[in-house]
């Protein structure tokens, strides 16, 4: 159960980072950090989610749903 909560939190961080980049892009006053910083952070967290999913599926901690047919 802890792993699923961790995955949901990581996905929420990805979405929050995306909206931070949107805010910086719309504001565009030069005093805030660059938009690429937030987009890069989003990519890092997305890679972390994918790597965690691959490891959890390979070790058998998470099991995918069986095929419907």
């Amino acid at each position: 159960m802890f792993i699923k909560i961790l995955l949901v939190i990581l996905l929420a961080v990805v979405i929050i980072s995306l909206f931070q980049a949107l805010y910086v892009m719309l504001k565009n006053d030069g005093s805030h950090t660059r938009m690429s910083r937030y987009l890069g952070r989003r990519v890092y967290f997305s890679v972390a989610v994918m790597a965690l999913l691959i490891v959890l599926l390979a070790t058998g901690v998470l099991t995918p749903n069986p095929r419907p047919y």
Side-chain angles (χ1 to χ4, degrees):
M1 187 65 170
F2 173 72
I3 299 297
K4 292 179 183 179
I5 293 171
L6 179 66
L7 284 172
V8 169
I9 289 172
L10 283 174
L11 289 172
V13 169
V14 168
I15 293 171
I16 289 169
S17 180
L18 186 62
F19 279 107
Q20 285 176 336
L22 175 68
Y23 176 74
V24 169
M25 181 181 71
L26 292 176
K27 184 114 176 168
N28 196 18
D29 63 355
S31 66
H32 287 287
T33 58
R34 302 180 81 190
M35 183 176 67
S36 61
R37 178 178 178 203
Y38 295 113
L39 291 176
R41 188 181 301 164
R42 182 181 65 94
V43 170
Y44 290 143
F45 282 117
S46 298
V47 168
V49 167
M50 292 302 295
L52 186 61
L53 278 175
I54 290 171
V55 167
L56 292 174
L57 286 171
T59 58
V61 175
L62 287 180
T63 56
N65 289 335
R67 292 197 272 176
Y69 49 86

